[in-house]
Amino acid sequence: MTTAEESDQVVQRRANLDELRKLGVNPYPHRFDLGESIEAVVGAHSSKTGEVLDAEAITTRTAGRILTIRTFGKANFLVLSDGKTRLQVYIRQDALSERDFKIFKLLDFGDWVGVEGRLFRTKTNELTIWASSLEFLAKCLLPLPEKWHGLTDVETRYRQRYLDLIVNPDSRRVFEVRSRVVSAIREFLTTRGFLEVETPMMQSIAGGALARPFTTHHNALDIPLYMRVAPELFLKRLTVGGIERVFEINRNFRNEGISTQHNPEFTMLEFYWAYADYRDLMTLSETLLADVAQKAIAADEVVYGDHTISLRPPFRRLSLREAARDAASRRLGESIDLEVLRSRDSAAALAGRLAVPIEPGMGAGKITAAIFEALCEGDLIQPTFVYDFPTEVSPLSKQKADDPDTVERFELYVAGFELANAFSELNDPVEQQHRFEEQLRQRAGGDEEAHAMDSDYIRALEFGMPPAAGEGIGIDRLVMLLTGSLSIRDVILFPLMRPK
RNA sequence: GGCCGGGUAGCUCAGUGGUAGAGCAGCGGACUUUUAAUCCGUGGGUCGCGGGUUCAAUCCCCGCCCCGGUCACCA
């Protein structure tokens, strides 16, 4: 492969740039007096007929990148894009000054130009600017992907997202939806009295989730630091501080595998709601998702892969133990008692019969969760709240009043993946201390994802945290769902790639 | 990390143990309402990188790099 600098097309483009300079054109001017964006022009006039346009004689002044050039000698067409909307420009020799027509002849596909002219419709009824002047705005020195096939190579699309955005309108659409999703969530929560905050992303104890952190180091303080795996413990400190409704939308970092559903840095919404419990959160979640879908894509159902998913409340609700028990019963063709999942030995035996791999340190709760994940998770296509988790896998959740082995927690599954995780918050400092100690035992037993001790968090709880419920929603996954994207990398502008 | 698939022109892709192909893009020409414009002519490649086998390797063999899918781990 020839280096870009040497290739023919680049030589040609540089030559055109030099020719512009010889004409006295500054190929990189400082500004352009933009009348309106292409999107605004099209938005305002796309419904008007040719007769109406001719009668109104609308002159417009806009700018964009040239996506195609069709030449016919003395009459030519450009297609300009403002990154979102496209508009055709008619370049007719007798309508332009000699200088502007010379500029036109030096244009390459990809260059940025500004035009001024009257709007009309061509014989084929396309809304078009009849250019009366042309301004050169910036040069595209490298050849762009071609117009017909576009850019399909996924590696290039992720590594050089700007190219993807230039030539693939669908890519731009995904990030428009993403922006609306985040705006809609902010609006939803702030109108309900939630305060948006930012908490540390660099933490000396990476807590709030069971995950492996990235490690780093602060030179001046000479201390190790971790990139956060969750904002949870800081947001709950804020509820201790009296911020009764609080949320954060920000990045989490987890030093784990990469897949179509996992990027090492990902965006989470976490919110905490004093005086509420996990049941209140189920209702709020349904309302929020339906509201966000309406605002972001104006729909109450989405097509995702082979499925049509309804986001109309209420969502299905399924107890985790019952789901695991039912799936195991179906798999083995016999009726299994829920009590089997309550003791370590019988649960382990069941896992063995189901060929679900377990490890020596796992108790009944972890085994039950493993059975659920292996047998049920992928089948939860329509939105489903899976509720009542084993205490063993939920070190920060509040136990059910009548069942200390179970916590008030749910996960929301859609399209076979986990979209949200929520629970009634454990606010008893003594119980929290015990849970951390149990996590330390698991860590000592080799579980690298077990939660670390956070004594300051215990102290905060000792000052009294109101009863509260909290929830995390994966923004990337929500955007995947709402845009039909099958890979998380399609909804993250610059996903992590191995350097070349 | 395991397994499977891929890496050839700017882009999308064929292809072969014997000097590397197409479409689009580019360049030259014709054309004053085209839209994948059309027509005529034409340039363009370290076939991912490194070794090996061979008279000869883009092709066969070995190693490596990058990407995708999948499994494992996780949200």
Side-chain angles (χ1 to χ4, degrees), chain A residues 52-85:
Chain A
V52 170
L53 291 172
D54 290 343
E56 293 185 359
I58 301 150
T59 295
T60 188
R61 186 176 167 82
T62 190
R65 187 192 285 276
I66 301 169
L67 291 188
T68 60
I69 303 176
R70 289 186 287 273
T71 64
F72 295 84
K74 297 187 178 72
N76 310 273
F77 295 92
L78 301 179
V79 174
L80 290 191
S81 165
D82 64 358
K84 196 172 172 184
T85 306

Side-chain angles (χ1 to χ4, degrees), chain A residues 110 201 245 308 345 372 418 421 462 476:
Chain A
M201 297 220 198
R245 299 181 188 196
T308 298
D345 289 346
F372 168 79
E418 182 189 334
N421 179 23
E462 285 169 343
D476 311 276

Side-chain angles (χ1 to χ4, degrees), chain A residues 179-474:
Chain A
S179 175
R180 287 200 294 273
V181 165
V182 172
S183 299
I185 290 172
R186 285 210 162 91
E187 186 187 343
F188 183 92
L189 290 172
T190 52
T191 59
R192 284 166 175 75
F194 286 81
L195 182 72
E196 181 170 11
V197 299
E198 292 171 88
T199 63
M201 297 220 198
M202 305 177 77
Q203 306 175 348
S204 52
I205 297 168
L210 307 180
R212 252 174 302 202
F214 285 91
T215 60
T216 185
H217 181 264
H218 188 269
N219 287 343
L221 297 180
D222 190 24
I223 52 166
L225 281 176
Y226 300 95
M227 305 300 290
R228 78 175 187 197
V229 296
E232 169 147 355
L233 300 187
F234 284 95
L235 292 172
K236 286 197 282 199
R237 282 173 172 94
L238 295 178
T239 66
V240 171
I243 306 181
E244 296 180 351
R245 299 181 188 196
V246 64
F247 77 100
E248 176 166 7
I249 298 173
N250 228 323
R251 223 68 64 81
N252 289 344
F253 308 86
R254 298 189 184 174
N255 204 343
E256 285 157 0
I258 294 175
S259 77
T260 50
Q261 288 171 33
H262 301 85
N263 194 63
E265 54 177 314
F266 62 101
T267 303
M268 271 280 265
L269 159 69
E270 278 201 19
F271 61 95
Y272 292 84
W273 181 12
Y275 316 121
D277 71 3
Y278 77 142
R279 301 250 163 218
D280 298 312
L281 285 182
M282 289 190 208
T283 310
L284 188 75
S285 301
E286 291 168 339
T287 313
L288 182 147
L289 289 178
D291 179 81
V292 167
Q294 203 50 244
K295 284 181 177 142
I297 60 170
D300 60 5
E301 61 178 35
V302 292
V303 174
Y304 193 81
D306 298 332
H307 303 285
T308 298
I309 293 169
S310 165
L311 296 171
R312 289 180 290 272
F315 299 162
R316 181 181 174 207
R317 299 177 189 209
L318 193 63
S319 135
L320 184 139
R321 281 199 183 86
E322 286 172 13
R325 188 264 320 261
D326 293 346
S329 299
R330 276 194 303 277
R331 181 69 61 94
L332 298 174
E334 64 186 79
S335 175
I336 292 165
D337 196 279
L338 264 187
E339 288 307 307
V340 168
L341 296 170
R342 289 287 184 165
S343 94
R344 205 258 160 204
D345 289 346
S346 57
L350 179 62
R353 293 180 61 202
L354 293 163
V356 173
I358 58 169
E359 307 207 358
M362 292 167 90
K366 274 195 179 178
I367 293 169
T368 302
I371 291 173
F372 168 79
E373 283 165 20
L375 269 53
C376 307
E377 215 173 80
D379 294 333
L380 299 175
I381 303 301
Q382 297 300 322
T384 304
F385 293 114
V386 176
Y387 65 91
D388 286 359
F389 277 59
T391 306
E392 188 185 351
V393 296
S394 314
L396 302 167
S397 312
K398 192 174 228 171
Q399 287 149 314
K400 291 178 74 80
D402 56 355
D403 178 4
D405 290 335
T406 305
V407 292
E408 293 192 350
R409 172 182 174 191
F410 70 79
E411 288 183 347
L412 174 60
Y413 282 86
V414 187
F417 56 73
E418 182 189 334
L419 186 64
N421 179 23
F423 38 88
S424 302
E425 301 297 340
L426 176 58
N427 59 345
D428 174 347
V430 175
E431 172 63 17
Q432 185 66 71
Q433 175 83 27
H434 291 153
R435 301 276 190 91
F436 278 155
E437 284 163 359
E438 172 55 28
Q439 290 292 310
L440 291 182
R441 276 191 289 281
Q442 296 196 15
R443 184 171 281 260
D447 184 349
E448 290 182 62
E449 284 160 11
H451 205 288
M453 172 64 71
D454 188 336
S455 304
D456 179 71
Y457 177 66
I458 299 287
R459 179 171 59 184
L461 294 186
E462 285 169 343
F463 280 103
M465 176 177 150
E471 176 163 349
I473 296 179

